[in-house]
Amino acid sequence: MIKDTVKYLAGSAGPSGYGSKSTADQVTQHYSSSSRHLTAIITGATSGIGEETARVLAKRGVRIVIPARDLKKASEVKEKIQKGSPDAEIIILEIDLSSFSSIKRFCTEFLALKLPLNILINNAGKFSNKLEFSDDKIEMTFATNYLGHFFLTELLMEKMVETAAEEGIQGRIVNVSSVVHGWVKREQFHFMQMLQPEKYNSTRAYAQSKLANILHAKEVSRQLKERKANVTANAVHPGIVKTGIIRDHKGCFTDSLFFMASKFLKSTTQGASTTCYAALSPQMEGVSGKYLTDCNETRCTGLANDESEAQKLWMQSCALMQRRLQR
């Protein structure tokens, strides 16, 4: 543990050649030529790590699709990115990731554009301080962080498989998770209770959704391998970055905590590095079903690695999705 902490603080490079101090620009600096003509959908790209991910991928020639609830904010991000990369192609479409009907509408609009889809980055995150429910009557953190991305991925999967087969370029799905997935005990991870919890704890709800993101990546990876599709799926932990995810937790205590922990915090561009690495690096060719931190494969918990748990979660999510769409 002490050895890992020292390595983290020093920014020591791992097997990939990168470490905790590596930036998104650094890990993608050699990939501009190979990333031309790629199309990426990045959720949560109107702020923080998602915005930085969009900026860097656009800089490398990737066409960016930004699904956003706040279209004004998305337009401001588009303008900012294009100031630095005038040739960047950025498309904005409306979405509410906590709503099944909104996700379905977004996918219909995107598919109607007849664009390829090479990269799907499920980055958006919600940390709800109080118990809130989505329009579908599902606890908001779980609905946004996990179920929204599950549904989005399901509706876009065939387009990704089709694009990879037509272009001969491996498609990549990247789920942005968190090290806090390790805080979830097996007995706490019950699907129906996560949908409508009797006793709400914001930290636990967030950790459960991040665990679900890893299980989702692992099950999608298994299914893609089974059908021999040229698409990979991985989960990443970006590190601890002070971003909009804690906007509901501002205050003296939170600010003091981040000040004391400042040596452990990453900048936004360092936080986006592992996502960008997973999305573009040639070193990730053929790598699937893994969990990455600081641009290197690392261990996740036994529960997050449980294949049967991943399959069960996927089946429960599918059943829920089908029930809600039939209403």
Side-chain angles (χ1 to χ4, degrees):
M1 182 69 177
I2 294 175
K3 184 179 178 182
D4 289 341
T5 301
V6 171
K7 187 177 178 182
Y8 173 85
L9 291 172
S12 302
S16 69
Y18 302 108
S20 62
K21 303 293 186 187
S22 300
T23 67
D25 278 305
Q26 289 170 343
V27 305
T28 60
Q29 61 185 330
H30 302 301
Y31 311 135
S32 57
S33 59
S34 62
S35 59
R36 297 288 174 187
H37 311 304
L38 299 183
T39 300
I41 292 177
I42 307 171
T43 69
T46 57
S47 64
I49 293 170
E51 180 182 345
E52 178 66 5
T53 300
R55 182 192 71 81
V56 172
L57 264 60
K59 184 178 178 181
R60 304 307 177 203
V62 180
R63 178 194 291 119
I64 305 296
V65 179
I66 299 179
R69 187 168 55 178
D70 188 335
L71 297 181
K72 182 176 181 293
K73 198 170 182 181
S75 295
E76 291 169 356
V77 169
K78 176 179 178 177
E79 186 179 340
K80 192 190 305 183
I81 291 173
Q82 289 180 328
K83 276 185 179 177
S85 302
D87 295 331
E89 185 179 351
I90 301 172
I91 298 166
I92 298 170
L93 295 174
E94 189 172 11
I95 198 172
D96 177 352
L97 268 171
S98 71
S99 166
F100 285 160
S101 61
S102 179
I103 295 166
K104 187 176 181 181
R105 187 163 53 249
F106 163 83
C107 290
T108 299
E109 291 175 2
F110 171 75
L111 294 172
L113 296 175
K114 303 295 183 185
L115 294 173
L117 181 57
N118 308 93
I119 301 166
L120 174 60
I121 299 178
N122 293 318
N123 165 81
K126 172 79 176 174
F127 194 143
S128 184
N129 195 33
K130 59 185 180 181
L131 179 59
E132 298 177 90
F133 289 96
S134 69
D135 291 341
D136 297 303
K137 311 302 181 194
I138 296 168
E139 189 278 309
M140 190 64 80
T141 298
F142 194 65
T144 304
N145 295 2
Y146 167 65
L147 281 173
H149 287 126
F150 167 84
F151 190 32
L152 183 69
T153 304
E154 285 298 302
L155 293 182
L156 295 174
M157 184 68 73
E158 290 310 312
K159 170 53 73 173
M160 294 199 72
V161 173
E162 177 187 297
T163 298
E166 289 176 355
E167 298 185 349
I169 300 172
Q170 189 169 81
R172 299 189 183 186
I173 299 168
V174 183
N175 283 2
V176 178
S177 181
S178 171
V179 70
V180 301
H181 80 272
W183 297 355
V184 183
K185 296 178 181 178
R186 190 176 291 270
E187 59 269 21
Q188 297 173 331
F189 199 68
H190 295 289
F191 190 71
M192 294 308 295
Q193 289 179 21
M194 289 186 287
L195 296 180
Q196 295 184 316
E198 293 177 8
K199 294 181 180 179
Y200 183 71
N201 179 290
S202 59
T203 303
R204 183 171 61 210
Y206 182 74
Q208 288 170 334
S209 71
K210 295 289 110 179
L211 170 61
N213 289 147
I214 299 176
L215 290 169
H216 177 224
K218 288 184 175 290
E219 174 58 15
V220 167
S221 172
R222 187 193 68 78
Q223 292 181 15
L224 288 166
K225 286 177 183 176
E226 196 172 74
R227 61 187 288 191
K228 295 181 169 57
N230 190 23
V231 180
T232 63
N234 293 289
V236 304
H237 166 51
I240 305 170
V241 185
K242 188 175 182 181
T243 66
I245 194 69
I246 59 158
R247 58 183 164 264
D248 295 331
H249 299 261
K250 289 180 179 178
C252 183
F253 175 74
T254 303
D255 291 343
S256 298
L257 184 64
F258 269 92
F259 176 76
M260 290 186 290
S262 60
K263 293 297 182 184
F264 291 89
L265 295 185
K266 287 186 175 186
S267 66
T268 304
T269 191
Q270 289 170 339
S273 64
T274 307
T275 302
C276 291
Y277 177 81
L280 285 186
S281 174
Q283 291 175 267
M284 289 297 292
E285 185 77 20
V287 177
S288 192
K290 305 301 182 183
Y291 174 65
L292 283 73
T293 301
D294 301 332
C295 302
N296 290 278
E297 184 184 337
T298 189
R299 291 188 301 272
C300 53
T301 64
L303 180 56
N305 234 346
D306 191 325
E307 213 172 276
S308 62
E309 196 68 48
Q311 289 183 34
K312 183 172 76 172
L313 177 64
W314 186 86
M315 291 174 66
Q316 290 171 322
S317 304
C318 273
L320 173 70
M321 184 177 72
Q322 289 166 2
R323 288 198 304 271
R324 296 304 172 102
L325 291 178
Q326 287 170 357
R327 290 183 176 182

